[in-house]
Amino acid sequence: LSTVQMQTAKNMNDEDTKVDALSMLFLNSINITPVLLAISLYVGDFGILYEAVMEKEVAFSFMMILSASMGVSITYFYLLCSIYNSPMATSITGNVKDIFLTALSFMAFADVQVNNMLITGLVLSLMGALTYSYAKISATKAAAAAAAAAAKTKKD
């Protein structure tokens, strides 16, 4: 879904349809709200929310507002990155971030038990992301070369 979101952000920022990041953030929020509501109902998150609000837990309310604010901020800057850069640059940056955070989490959390299943999952996930990025870069280069060759043929 994140790839679709990045490509949509880039497509909606063409010369014909300039859309700012806040409008994209609003559109994204409207599109994903029904899905998140359905998941929340299925998992039972509304019961937990109701209990916390009824008990007037200040810490919960603070953390809920902080979490929502951080989610909105991250999505906003993610969309800005996709608009001003290419979706591919955002994807590659995300791959590097994932590698860094995975390594950092191994060092930060002592309860991580490294086993074959964990290593296999990490390697498969990383290889999938890198393969996808490489394929997209190759396709982009091939399309640019084809466009250049067509322009050269037209010129001649």
Side-chain angles (χ1 to χ4, degrees), residues 51-112:
E51 289 174 14
V53 169
M54 289 319 231
E55 293 176 9
K56 294 182 173 67
E57 294 182 21
V58 176
F60 177 83
S61 298
F62 174 75
M63 293 305 290
M64 186 73 169
I65 291 169
L66 180 65
S67 176
S69 301
M70 290 172 61
V72 168
S73 298
I74 287 171
T75 304
Y76 175 72
F77 290 116
Y78 182 77
L79 289 170
L80 275 180
C81 184
S82 294
I83 288 170
Y84 291 117
N85 301 310
S86 71
M88 185 51 52
T90 305
S91 179
I92 291 171
T93 304
N95 291 344
V96 172
K97 176 200 63 128
D98 290 344
I99 293 168
F100 175 74
L101 287 178
T102 301
L104 184 66
S105 67
F106 278 134
M107 293 182 280
F109 301 109
D111 63 341
V112 175

Side-chain angles (χ1 to χ4, degrees), residues 103-120:
L104 184 66
S105 67
F106 278 134
M107 293 182 280
F109 301 109
D111 63 341
V112 175
Q113 296 177 355
V114 179
N115 55 30
N116 289 340
M117 187 175 286
L118 176 69
I119 298 297
T120 302

Side-chain angles (χ1 to χ4, degrees), residues 2-17:
S2 63
T3 303
V4 172
Q5 181 186 15
M6 285 189 295
Q7 195 59 46
T8 303
K10 192 63 176 177
N11 290 344
M12 291 188 76
N13 200 35
D14 288 342
E15 295 300 324
D16 300 334
T17 58

